[in-house]
Amino acid sequence: MAVIKVRNSGKVIEGVEQVGAFLEEQGVLYEHWDMSKLPQELHEKFNLSDEDKQQILTAFDQDIRSLAERRGYVNWDVIALSDTTPNLEELLKKFEQVHTHTDDEVRVITAGHGIFIVKGEGEIGYFDIELEAGDVISVPEHTPHFFTLMEDRQVVAVRLFIDTDGWVAHPYEEKEQQI
Ligand SMILES: [Fe+2]
C-alpha cells in the first residue's frame, strides 16, 4: 500500500483509509488493484518482452477498461525501468525534474516501486507518494510533480492516456524550490 511522506513537516501517512483520504483532499486518484491477477513470473520481471507487456495488459484488462471509462482514458501501455534499461541514469535525470502536464498522469504499479513527488495544495508543500505493486494513482493536470525510483531501482507500470499530447512534460519552476 502507498505511504505518504510530507517533506516540510516530516509527517508520514500510512494505511489505506488515511492515505486515501489525504490523496482525495489533494485531488489525487488512489486505488489498489488485486495483483494476484498477474501471472507469477511477472511479479519480479523487469526486462519485459512485448509479449510480457501484453500479458500484463490482458491480466488487468477489466480494471483498465473500468478506469478508462470513468476518467476518459483512450490509450494505455506498459513501461519498465531497471538497471537493464539502457540510459537509466539519463532517464531518471529527466524524470526527476519538476514538471506539469495538461492531462492527468496515471500509473498502475505492477512490480517494483516508484515515488511520485507532488506539490500539494496550499501550505502543505511537496509530499512523496511511495508506491508498490497494486497501487494506482493519477496526478491531476497542471499539478507540479516528478517521479523517481526507490532503493530497488526497478518498476513496471501501466500508463493510461487521454491524449498523448497531454502527456508532454512542461518544466515547472518556482523562486524558492523546496523539494
Ligand atoms: Fe509527469
Side-chain angles (χ1 to χ4, degrees), residues 5-126:
K5 292 180 179 167
V6 181
R7 292 196 168 198
N8 284 342
S9 64
K11 191 176 173 193
V12 176
I13 300 161
E14 289 174 279
V16 186
E17 273 175 37
Q18 288 86 341
V19 167
F22 176 86
L23 292 178
E24 195 179 341
E25 212 168 276
Q26 294 293 329
V28 175
L29 166 96
Y30 175 66
E31 297 183 358
H32 193 85
W33 290 3
D34 176 10
M35 283 297 120
S36 68
K37 293 178 181 177
L38 194 65
Q40 198 52 47
E41 67 273 18
L42 292 172
H43 284 265
E44 283 297 328
K45 190 173 180 187
F46 297 91
N47 195 356
L48 302 177
S49 65
D50 288 346
E51 204 174 59
D52 293 330
K53 290 181 179 180
Q54 192 51 53
Q55 247 190 306
I56 294 169
L57 294 178
T58 303
F60 296 104
D61 190 62
Q62 255 188 328
D63 302 286
I64 290 170
R65 286 178 195 280
S66 158
L67 183 60
E69 204 170 296
R70 275 179 280 145
R71 297 180 59 97
Y73 308 125
V74 293
N75 290 314
W76 39 91
D77 67 7
V78 174
I79 182 173
L81 295 172
S82 72
D83 285 324
T84 64
T85 308
N87 309 323
L88 180 67
E89 289 305 322
E90 261 172 60
L91 280 174
L92 286 177
K93 264 185 213 154
K94 201 176 91 183
F95 291 153
E96 286 168 3
Q97 288 165 4
V98 182
H99 61 272
T100 62
H101 306 284
T102 55
D103 285 348
D104 58 355
E105 174 167 353
V106 192
R107 295 289 181 275
V108 181
I109 308 296
T110 62
H113 297 84
I115 312 180
F116 270 97
I117 297 92
V118 176
K119 188 180 186 196
E121 301 271 353
E123 296 295 297
I124 193 157
Y126 282 86

